[in-house]
Amino acid sequence: MKATAKAHTNIALIKYWGKRNESIILPTNSSLSLTLDGFYTTTSVHFSEEYTQDKFILNERVVEGEQYRRVSEFLDLIRQQAGKSLYAKVDSTNEVPTAAGFASSASGFAALAAAGTKAIGQNMSDRELSALTRQGSGSACRSIYGGFAEWEMGAEEDGSDSYAVPIAPAEHWDLRVAAVVLSSTAKKVSSRAGMKRTVETSPFYQGWLNSIPTDMSQIKEGIKERDFQKVGEVAEANCLKMHATTLGANPPFTYWHDTTMTVMQTVRDLREKGIPAYFTIDAGPNVKVLYLPENEEVIEKTLRNIPGVADIRLSRPGQGVTYL
Ligand code: DP6
């Protein structure tokens, strides 16, 4: 009863920002992302009668505390669905440098769900797997698929219609993403805590929600037509709206540092010079820059020269979950 799976992280172009149900993770809005190669998690799950409790090993170290609890509770869901009560050993390797500012929870829970369900003998459709993965970490449900994926928020209270669906495979469009890693790191509000505070207290939150349907239909059109300007403009504006909601929260907060804003301005300056580039930012200070292959050299060079930037990690569209 052992299986191994690999999953890549993803970057949201239309952000998931808020839950309507925290325990089974149901979102208040649909979101859309691009799965990225280069950043991934490989996970083996072994269920056995020999184990007297779950064990979680990450990058060759035994993990305890909150991270262990989230993994063990997720294994409970897998056991529940399979009607089995065996404990498991989970062995994960992360190729998602935390410093690159990508949450490893997306690739982590997607790989865990895929390996865990296979190890316990369940054969799931992509939709079922995505709906299960969602309950580990919302954004992870999009990492089941390669390329562009939409997490449809759904309407049912039991979450049965809240899962991701593929929009276009990685081969559809070679859209590139540069992860700009900043040297400064400050105390951070997790995405989980940040979205909760925003939903509960920000008067701007309703405005955010109202803007989603138009952003979503426009970006889907842009992806279909491979219209870089359309996709970039919608993604950048959507990111700014998400971050604007945090300033209205009580207490107010922002994920941006001074260098975050310098990078944003540099991207706007590139556009002024006729080099198409757009940015997006998740629940942290690092910036991801969207660009096209022909501009890779100038994009990388320009970003690297910004004071306060520690590293640039380039990435292409990646594949969905695979079994090893
Ligand atoms: C800003 O998926 O990390 O990156 O569901 O609580 O685990 P939980 O949150 P998480 O939130 C991601 C928020 C985001 C936007 C996005 O990826 O869509």
Side-chain angles (χ1 to χ4, degrees):
M1 296 186 78
K2 189 173 174 181
T4 305
K6 175 176 167 180
H8 292 86
T9 189
N10 68 74
I11 177 72
L13 303 177
I14 303 292
K15 306 292 183 192
Y16 146 51
W17 196 241
K19 296 180 179 70
R20 64 180 201 274
N21 179 322
E22 283 171 18
S23 64
I24 58 169
I25 307 194
L26 296 177
T28 35
N29 68 274
S30 294
S31 56
L32 185 145
S33 63
L34 175 61
T35 298
L36 300 174
D37 83 344
F39 309 108
Y40 58 89
T41 303
T42 309
T43 296
S44 295
V45 179
H46 182 208
F47 286 98
S48 169
E49 282 173 6
E50 284 170 27
Y51 300 137
T52 51
Q53 58 172 40
D54 293 323
K55 190 169 185 179
F56 177 35
I57 298 163
L58 178 60
N59 297 335
E60 297 178 351
R61 285 192 179 168
V62 176
V63 177
E64 281 160 358
E66 167 68 9
Q67 252 186 322
Y68 169 81
R69 190 188 57 77
R70 273 180 78 176
V71 166
S72 186
E73 282 181 12
F74 192 76
L75 290 167
D76 288 341
L77 292 176
I78 295 177
R79 286 186 275 259
Q80 215 173 45
Q81 290 205 353
K84 297 207 169 102
S85 57
L86 299 169
Y87 288 112
K89 183 173 129 186
V90 175
D91 198 334
S92 275
T93 313
N94 253 348
E95 298 296 334
V96 187
T98 325
F102 283 108
S104 55
S105 64
S107 54
F109 277 102
L112 177 63
T117 49
K118 190 166 180 216
I120 213 160
Q122 285 219 305
N123 213 338
M124 287 192 161
S125 68
D126 283 349
R127 277 184 188 193
E128 287 167 333
L129 188 59
S130 177
L132 173 69
T133 305
R134 186 201 78 225
Q135 296 173 69
S137 179
S139 55
C141 80
R142 301 182 304 237
S143 274
I144 299 303
Y145 308 96
F148 299 87
E150 179 186 359
W151 174 9
E152 297 176 344
M153 63 178 286
E156 300 294 339
E157 275 178 31
D158 65 359
S160 55
D161 59 350
S162 186
Y163 44 68
V165 297
I167 295 295
E171 295 72 29
H172 169 71
W173 192 15
D174 190 9
L175 184 66
R176 304 273 170 98
V177 178
V180 183
V181 185
L182 310 192
S183 1
S184 57
T185 46
K187 203 179 135 219
K188 150 176 160 150
V189 183
S190 71
S191 46
R192 196 160 280 193
M195 67 175 81
K196 183 172 159 66
R197 194 192 300 173
T198 306
V199 171
E200 286 171 358
T201 65
S202 179
F204 307 152
Y205 192 69
Q206 192 55 46
W208 156 257
L209 289 181
N210 294 347
S211 77
I212 298 291
T214 309
D215 282 3
M216 187 61 87
S217 71
Q218 288 208 328
I219 206 157
K220 285 206 266 193
E221 262 175 42
I223 292 167
K224 199 170 160 200
E225 297 157 359
R226 298 187 195 87
D227 182 336
F228 184 66
Q229 186 179 344
K230 195 184 237 173
V231 168
E233 282 177 358
V234 175
E236 190 172 296
N238 184 268
C239 152
L240 290 171
K241 281 181 282 191
M242 177 203 122
H243 286 269
T245 65
T246 71
L247 295 177
N250 184 14
F253 65 105
T254 181
Y255 288 107
W256 300 353
H257 290 188
D258 49 359
T259 313
T260 310
M261 284 191 268
T262 310
V263 176
M264 289 158 63
Q265 191 51 47
T266 305
V267 171
R268 293 187 191 108
D269 292 345
L270 278 164
R271 288 207 293 269
E272 290 279 303
K273 288 183 199 145
I275 298 152
Y278 297 88
F279 61 79
T280 186
I281 306 163
D282 279 339
N286 294 326
V287 183
K288 279 82 182 181
V289 178
L290 310 174
Y291 63 95
L292 292 171
E294 60 265 31
N295 297 315
E296 185 153 284
E297 214 171 307
V298 60
I299 294 281
E300 185 179 8
K301 197 167 154 245
T302 308
L303 296 174
R304 257 189 215 289
N305 281 333
I306 301 171
V309 168
D311 197 12
I312 306 292
R313 306 286 299 248
L314 306 178
S315 192
R316 302 171 185 222
Q319 302 299 328
V321 155
T322 50
Y323 296 91
L324 307 176

